[in-house]
Amino acid sequence: MNGSGIDFVVVGDICQTPSIDDLAILTNTALAVGSDGSIVWQCPAEDVSDIVEAHAAQGRLQRLSKGQFLTPGFIDTHIHASQHSYAGTGMDKPLMEWLDAYTFPVERQFAHLPTAEVHSLYRRAVRRTLRNGTTTAVYFATADRQASEALADVCAEEGQRAFVGKISMDRHCPPGYCETTEKSLEETARFIESFRQRPSIVQPVVTPRFIPTCSDELLAGLGALVREHGCHVQSHMSESIDEMQFVEAIHQLKDDHHKHNPYPPCPTDAEIFDRHGLLTDRCIMAHAIYLSEGDVERLRARGTAIAHCPLSNFYFAGGLLPVRSLLRSGVRVGLGTDVAGGYSPSMINAMQHAVTASRALSIQQHHERHRLAGVKPWEPFPAGSSDTTSPALDWVNALYLATRGGAEALNMGKQLGLLAEGYRFDAVLWDVTIGDNIDFTGSESRREQLEKLMHLGDDRNIACVWVDGQVSCRRRDRPAQADCKARARDSNSVSWRADNRSAHRQMGA
Amino acid sequence: MNGSGIDFVVVGDICQTPSIDDLAILTNTALAVGSDGSIVWQCPAEDVSDIVEAHAAQGRLQRLSKGQFLTPGFIDTHIHASQHSYAGTGMDKPLMEWLDAYTFPVERQFAHLPTAEVHSLYRRAVRRTLRNGTTTAVYFATADRQASEALADVCAEEGQRAFVGKISMDRHCPPGYCETTEKSLEETARFIESFRQRPSIVQPVVTPRFIPTCSDELLAGLGALVREHGCHVQSHMSESIDEMQFVEAIHQLKDDHHKHNPYPPCPTDAEIFDRHGLLTDRCIMAHAIYLSEGDVERLRARGTAIAHCPLSNFYFAGGLLPVRSLLRSGVRVGLGTDVAGGYSPSMINAMQHAVTASRALSIQQHHERHRLAGVKPWEPFPAGSSDTTSPALDWVNALYLATRGGAEALNMGKQLGLLAEGYRFDAVLWDVTIGDNIDFTGSESRREQLEKLMHLGDDRNIACVWVDGQVSCRRRDRPAQADCKARARDSNSVSWRADNRSAHRQMGA
């Protein structure tokens, strides 16, 4: 433990989740970040006071103030960068109609927009997520290779760790937004090659959109690319009622010669992906609401993870993901915003919805059990029966999913998701003295401060975001404040008497 | 329609919900606010261009800019002002344990705190909600009369329309936080009397905490006060599994002499309140998750409303409120944050959770139906069965609940919840050009702007809040911005070389 190769040292508190039920708060901890972006060492500050002082003398010490602390950066395991522009609108249709009405028309345009506009659109998405503390994002771009490469370039420029996917799809796509199988594979290969020119924080991810839009030939070809390049894989799996129906319908059409069997068995999404070598231990499947027991075992055996998108699931899935039960089965789970299926790009928001979705699932299980037993929801069970309702996730569990859970899901649990020796320095600096959006009493413990931030906080409370040891985003200026009442009537009268334009400026300012 | 008695005229767009499924967008509308705080007239601006110009000449015109529009102010029909200090923490217990662990200890202190501190605590709660666009709040204070009067004073000073309740409770309360029946009634009467000294925007509301803590004698006495003074009433009703169990237990104890019947019939919360004249058409009951059919009919017949608190219900209710079905039954429903049972004081947040809770209910109904029919969730029903799943609430419905629904619930549908002639001018000025928290493309329709704000917005997007024609809260300063990447590495290096204190300031600033 020495000073060589160290870029800077941070001294302060660190809050993180080594495991799902364990919130570790390391007070007055010193953490050294190497010039390569990794954490060289981390230990109690009093054990290394000489080294800390030496770095302070060289102007390479960041001593956190009393209201500040670090957490690992958020890992958004499922987000559509191309859909950011309409996030917050158009939440009114089932998935398959939603794609036709909103998604496909927007995504299709990316092939025809001027390069500068593509960059601008993607930059807004990347900056918005960075600002909300997302240090790693697993992105869907669009089917257009060049526009998808632009997203990768933007992530590299903005300093966000990212897995970027050019979408592959060759059937059941709308007019003007469909690839041939051959072109899809060629373009995906070129896309992967292009990453040789980029820094290692940006990586390609093979991205079949989902089973409905991918032929077996396409999936087989993508499987070969995955084996050749060792890429990560992402897609959607068993997401919604209408997607399940669509997959059943196309497979029943295909097996139409089984005239003796009106309902030929339909393979599940997991079986189809697996058939083509796409379920690997570097694969993240979004949603996965309607898994069979066999699917769960298949995901576990392959080491394939699920990107849990709780907000989006409320709208599109028609079901609630049993996160605890999947984790118990040995399936890894990360958290995702699923913009724009989820309207918010904030992982804090995703954490909050992970908890409410989990509580909704507990409610559903509780009511089903009671109804089956013929007793009211608040009545005790008949003797001999036991409560099998899973305990709901709480905010600590959600923080785990948003950080370490995501790292594990990416099979990068040794590099990301913790602030510890050997890990990359991907971190968020929280500050309870800024933002003006939460009323702190000043008597909260560090744990309670963190709890308030995870429930009530937003980007206003984030002072700085580092990725790979470098600052990617930091706050500047003073926060806007609201001047509530008291002298309002008087000051108001003044502005009425000013000319309208300046009155507007005062109001809006 | 003329200029006499008019304080100012606003010209711009108005978005509001005259009924639950109806979003009305009135473009380029002129609205005149009288010196008494009411809306004197409202009509298309081109129809009154002369009058508008005349007011402009007198400096009494507020012409909204292109990015601005008005909605009616939010009406929070259920919020505990005394619990604001710990909102965002302590969400880990069932209701009855939660009250003992967090609520009662905090509330009890209000009787012993210095007056200035009581004012300060309440002022933070009131300003926080005002800033989030809550123009009317229906507050629980604590059992202490003087502290509760302080809350009413603060509301009057800050200019928030409020119904303020001194809590009444005389049994099953913790040590040091319980009233005698006699004192509770005396103090409630004194509390009501004190409102003669305050402006009419602040009104008392008779507030039995809930059935578990209120004896029949107390409820009867409160019923008499309601009849005498014509006050509003509020309480909690059939809220959670453990509260239902508690009520059953105390009523079975009471009826213990019915030895011949081991399970004497237990009256519901609604029956007990009604027995004492507390279910009126100026009564709002929070939660009401576990209503019998008889209860629903009772609420409808009495004109009693429900304060729907979706976020809090995810945590404490163990059930989901069937809002659509209640509205169809003729029961009025408003929206509430239920701070601190709900962690967020923002009605935008409450709207979002109203939608997700409703979608969770639809999911629950869908899955129960399919399981009963013996088919998978995505499979079609057996012939002859029909889908009885209620359509989920969407954001327009939620906006209705947060504004006009709340006004109706308060039996003030002729004064609040719309920006129209004869209504009070309680309004929120939204501005899509401020806040820096949402990426607008610039091509959104007004409806889409509103939709984005209701999904992604927060207090940063609120430029001004009026109550009764007067400004209660307005933004000042520029918004804080985040400086994402690009030159970040360089500027960072500079700050490392500065002294630590200024480096911190730069980061936190």
Side-chain angles (χ1 to χ4, degrees):
Chain A
M1 186 177 299
N2 55 42
S4 64
I6 290 175
D7 207 25
F8 61 95
V9 171
V10 182
V11 172
D13 292 0
I14 297 172
C15 302
Q16 57 189 358
T17 48
S19 65
I20 187 159
D21 288 310
D22 177 22
L23 176 68
I25 300 184
L26 313 173
T27 53
N28 196 31
T29 294
L31 183 154
V33 178
S35 46
D36 69 341
S38 70
I39 298 172
V40 183
W41 46 259
Q42 184 242 74
C43 63
E46 59 260 36
D47 295 355
V48 288
S49 52
D50 290 355
I51 299 175
V52 166
E53 288 314 312
H55 281 91
Q58 295 168 49
R60 295 192 302 190
L61 175 68
Q62 170 87 12
R63 199 184 292 275
L64 304 190
S65 66
K66 195 161 160 258
Q68 297 182 326
F69 60 90
L70 295 179
T71 66
F74 292 129
I75 297 173
D76 186 341
T77 57
H78 185 64
I79 171 167
H80 295 260
S82 54
Q83 298 173 18
H84 177 66
S85 63
Y86 68 93
T89 65
M91 307 293 289
D92 57 337
K93 295 183 191 303
L95 178 66
M96 304 302 275
E97 295 172 39
W98 181 82
L99 290 168
D100 279 332
Y102 303 107
T103 303
F104 292 143
V106 168
E107 286 191 10
R108 184 171 48 200
Q109 284 308 310
F110 275 75
H112 311 293
L113 294 172
T115 307
E117 195 169 335
V118 170
H119 276 259
S120 168
L121 283 165
Y122 279 141
R123 200 173 303 279
R124 295 185 120 198
V126 170
R127 286 189 174 176
R128 180 62 61 197
T129 53
L130 265 177
R131 184 175 163 159
N132 279 280
T134 300
T135 51
T136 299
V138 186
Y139 284 120
F140 273 59
T142 69
D144 186 69
R145 174 182 55 79
Q146 285 171 299
S148 302
E149 290 181 14
L151 173 57
D153 291 339
V154 167
C155 293
E157 285 162 23
E158 295 292 328
Q160 185 174 56
R161 192 182 300 282
F163 292 83
V164 179
K166 173 218 154 329
I167 294 172
S168 301
M169 49 192 225
D170 69 345
R171 64 170 182 175
H172 304 130
C173 299
Y177 193 47
C178 196
E179 307 170 297
T180 63
T181 309
E182 191 182 18
K183 181 162 185 222
S184 186
L185 292 172
E186 271 176 25
E187 291 284 276
T188 303
R190 284 184 67 185
F191 178 74
I192 294 169
E193 297 289 344
S194 79
F195 280 78
R196 292 191 185 165
Q197 315 299 323
R198 295 192 189 90
S200 64
I201 62 165
V202 186
Q203 292 290 322
V205 48
V206 167
T207 306
R209 179 184 278 281
F210 64 161
I211 295 298
T213 59
C214 298
S215 69
D216 280 349
E217 295 69 26
L218 178 59
L219 294 173
L222 294 175
L225 283 173
V226 167
R227 281 189 296 280
E228 182 185 344
H229 295 280
C231 294
H232 276 77
V233 183
Q234 66 179 344
S235 189
H236 306 84
M237 176 187 280
S238 304
E239 173 173 3
S240 70
I241 287 167
D242 54 348
E243 184 258 350
M244 296 294 286
Q245 287 168 345
F246 195 96
V247 171
E248 285 205 354
I250 55 179
H251 278 273
Q252 282 168 18
L253 278 175
K254 191 173 165 186
D255 298 346
D256 210 19
H257 56 282
H258 293 289
K259 292 286 181 216
H260 58 285
N261 181 0
Y263 298 108
C266 172
T268 66
D269 288 0
E271 285 165 24
I272 299 169
F273 283 122
D274 199 24
R275 194 182 280 172
H276 300 294
L278 289 162
L279 294 191
T280 73
D281 60 5
R282 303 178 77 186
C283 171
I284 296 198
M285 288 287 166
H287 309 296
I289 298 294
Y290 296 107
L291 298 185
S292 69
E293 281 180 30
D295 290 341
V296 172
E297 171 51 24
R298 199 178 292 264
L299 294 190
R300 189 205 60 74
R302 301 285 180 261
T304 293
I306 294 171
H308 176 36
C309 306
L311 177 56
S312 154
N313 289 344
F314 273 121
Y315 281 85
F316 296 105
L320 301 158
L321 190 75
V323 176
R324 282 241 182 235
S325 145
L326 286 163
L327 290 169
R328 268 199 305 269
S329 301
V331 176
R332 288 168 297 144
V333 181
L335 197 58
T337 60
D338 195 21
V339 166
Y343 48 75
S344 170
S346 156
M347 286 289 285
I348 307 178
N349 186 292
M351 285 176 48
Q352 293 162 1
H353 284 104
V355 175
T356 52
S358 177
R359 298 196 77 100
L361 180 63
S362 293
I363 290 170
Q364 182 178 323
Q365 292 172 338
H366 180 94
H367 284 250
E368 278 184 8
R369 269 184 78 240
H370 278 69
R371 215 172 30 79
L372 281 179
V375 297
K376 296 207 170 75
W378 61 89
E379 285 176 338
F381 268 99
S385 64
S386 65
D387 192 345
T388 54
T389 307
S390 292
L393 299 174
D394 65 18
W395 68 273
V396 171
N397 310 143
L399 179 59
Y400 168 86
L401 294 177
T403 53
R404 188 142 180 72
E408 297 275 9
L410 283 165
N411 206 348
M412 296 178 78
K414 294 273 171 59
Q415 295 116 285
L416 305 178
L418 280 183
L419 297 175
E421 190 176 320
Y423 283 74
R424 313 306 303 172
F425 188 65
D426 288 9
V428 173
L429 177 62
W430 300 88
D431 192 328
V432 300
T433 68
I434 59 175
D436 201 25
N437 55 333
I438 303 175
D439 292 314
F440 288 98
T441 62
S443 64
E444 291 91 354
S445 66
R446 184 64 85 194
R447 182 191 169 97
E448 285 167 338
Q449 288 178 343
L450 177 62
E451 193 178 0
K452 277 197 168 184
L453 287 168
M454 296 303 112
H455 285 129
L456 295 166
D458 55 46
D459 56 299
R460 282 175 281 190
N461 310 108
I462 294 177
C464 192
V465 178
W466 289 267
V467 174
D468 231 36
Q470 297 191 33
V471 172
S472 294
C473 190
R474 74 167 67 204
R475 266 174 69 99
R476 53 188 166 84
D477 308 355
R478 289 275 71 186
Q481 303 202 324
D483 180 16
C484 284
K485 196 58 188 175
R487 312 153 318 282
R489 164 63 97 159
D490 288 341
S491 58
N492 186 32
S493 310
V494 172
S495 70
W496 294 136
R497 276 172 199 102
D499 70 281
N500 292 324
R501 187 169 278 275
S502 79
H504 295 158
R505 203 174 298 131
Q506 283 180 39
M507 296 196 80
Chain B
M1 187 176 302
N2 56 42
S4 63
I6 289 175
D7 206 25
F8 60 96
V9 171
V10 182
V11 172
D13 292 1
I14 298 172
C15 303
Q16 55 189 0
T17 47
S19 65
I20 187 159
D21 288 309
D22 178 22
L23 176 69
I25 300 183
L26 313 173
T27 54
N28 197 29
T29 295
L31 183 154
V33 179
S35 46
D36 69 342
S38 70
I39 297 172
V40 184
W41 46 258
Q42 184 241 73
C43 63
E46 60 260 39
D47 295 354
V48 287
S49 53
D50 290 355
I51 300 176
V52 167
E53 289 312 315
H55 281 91
Q58 296 167 51
R60 294 191 303 187
L61 175 67
Q62 170 87 11
R63 198 183 293 276
L64 304 190
S65 66
K66 195 163 162 255
Q68 297 183 326
F69 60 90
L70 294 180
T71 66
F74 293 128
I75 298 173
D76 186 342
T77 57
H78 185 64
I79 172 167
H80 296 260
S82 54
Q83 298 172 18
H84 176 65
S85 62
Y86 68 93
T89 65
M91 306 294 288
D92 56 338
K93 295 182 193 303
L95 178 66
M96 303 301 274
E97 295 172 38
W98 181 82
L99 290 168
D100 279 332
Y102 303 109
T103 303
F104 291 143
V106 168
E107 285 191 11
R108 182 172 48 198
Q109 283 308 309
F110 276 76
H112 310 294
L113 294 172
T115 306
E117 195 170 335
V118 170
H119 276 258
S120 168
L121 283 165
Y122 280 140
R123 198 173 304 278
R124 294 185 119 197
V126 170
R127 286 190 173 176
R128 180 62 60 198
T129 53
L130 265 177
R131 186 174 162 160
N132 278 280
T134 300
T135 51
T136 299
V138 186
Y139 285 120
F140 273 59
T142 68
D144 187 68
R145 174 182 55 78
Q146 286 171 297
S148 302
E149 289 181 15
L151 173 57
D153 291 338
V154 167
C155 293
E157 287 162 22
E158 296 292 327
Q160 184 174 57
R161 192 181 301 282
F163 292 84
V164 179
K166 172 220 156 324
I167 295 171
S168 300
M169 51 191 223
D170 69 344
R171 63 171 183 175
H172 304 131
C173 298
Y177 193 46
C178 195
E179 306 170 298
T180 63
T181 309
E182 191 182 16
K183 185 166 182 216
S184 185
L185 291 172
E186 273 176 24
E187 291 283 279
T188 302
R190 285 183 66 184
F191 178 74
I192 294 169
E193 297 289 341
S194 79
F195 280 78
R196 294 195 183 160
Q197 314 299 323
R198 296 193 187 88
S200 65
I201 61 165
V202 186
Q203 292 290 323
V205 48
V206 167
T207 305
R209 178 183 280 281
F210 65 161
I211 295 298
T213 60
C214 298
S215 69
D216 280 350
E217 296 69 28
L218 177 59
L219 294 172
L222 294 174
L225 283 173
V226 167
R227 282 189 296 280
E228 183 185 344
H229 296 279
C231 295
H232 277 77
V233 183
Q234 66 179 345
S235 190
H236 306 84
M237 177 188 280
S238 305
E239 172 174 2
S240 69
I241 287 167
D242 54 347
E243 185 258 349
M244 296 294 286
Q245 287 167 346
F246 195 96
V247 172
E248 285 206 353
I250 56 179
H251 278 273
Q252 282 167 18
L253 278 175
K254 191 174 166 184
D255 296 347
D256 210 21
H257 56 283
H258 291 289
K259 292 288 181 213
H260 58 285
N261 180 1
Y263 298 108
C266 173
T268 66
D269 287 1
E271 286 166 22
I272 299 169
F273 282 123
D274 199 24
R275 193 181 281 172
H276 301 294
L278 289 162
L279 294 191
T280 74
D281 61 5
R282 303 179 78 187
C283 171
I284 296 198
M285 287 288 165
H287 309 295
I289 297 294
Y290 297 107
L291 298 185
S292 69
E293 281 180 33
D295 289 341
V296 172
E297 170 51 24
R298 198 178 291 264
L299 293 189
R300 189 205 60 74
R302 300 285 180 262
T304 294
I306 293 170
H308 175 36
C309 306
L311 177 55
S312 155
N313 289 345
F314 273 121
Y315 281 86
F316 297 105
L320 301 157
L321 191 75
V323 176
R324 282 244 183 235
S325 147
L326 286 162
L327 289 169
R328 268 199 306 269
S329 301
V331 177
R332 289 168 298 144
V333 181
L335 197 58
T337 60
D338 193 22
V339 165
Y343 48 74
S344 171
S346 156
M347 287 290 284
I348 308 177
N349 185 292
M351 285 175 48
Q352 292 161 2
H353 284 103
V355 175
T356 52
S358 178
R359 298 197 77 99
L361 180 63
S362 292
I363 289 169
Q364 182 178 323
Q365 291 172 338
H366 180 93
H367 283 252
E368 278 184 7
R369 268 184 78 240
H370 278 71
R371 212 171 34 76
L372 281 178
V375 297
K376 297 207 170 74
W378 60 89
E379 285 177 339
F381 267 99
S385 63
S386 65
D387 193 346
T388 54
T389 306
S390 293
L393 300 174
D394 65 18
W395 69 273
V396 171
N397 310 143
L399 179 59
Y400 168 86
L401 293 178
T403 54
R404 188 142 180 73
E408 297 276 8
L410 283 164
N411 207 348
M412 296 178 77
K414 295 271 170 59
Q415 296 115 285
L416 305 179
L418 280 182
L419 297 175
E421 190 175 321
Y423 283 73
R424 313 305 303 171
F425 188 65
D426 289 8
V428 174
L429 177 62
W430 301 88
D431 192 328
V432 301
T433 69
I434 59 174
D436 199 25
N437 55 333
I438 303 175
D439 292 314
F440 288 98
T441 63
S443 63
E444 290 92 354
S445 66
R446 185 63 86 195
R447 182 191 168 98
E448 286 167 334
Q449 287 179 343
L450 178 62
E451 193 179 0
K452 277 197 169 184
L453 287 168
M454 297 302 115
H455 285 128
L456 295 166
D458 55 47
D459 55 300
R460 282 175 281 192
N461 310 107
I462 295 177
C464 194
V465 178
W466 289 267
V467 175
D468 230 36
Q470 298 191 33
V471 172
S472 294
C473 189
R474 73 168 70 203
R475 268 174 69 100
R476 54 190 164 86
D477 308 354
R478 289 275 72 184
Q481 303 202 327
D483 181 15
C484 284
K485 196 61 185 172
R487 311 154 318 284
R489 163 65 94 162
D490 288 342
S491 58
N492 187 32
S493 309
V494 172
S495 71
W496 294 136
R497 276 174 199 98
D499 70 282
N500 292 324
R501 185 168 279 276
S502 78
H504 296 158
R505 204 175 297 130
Q506 284 182 38
M507 295 196 84

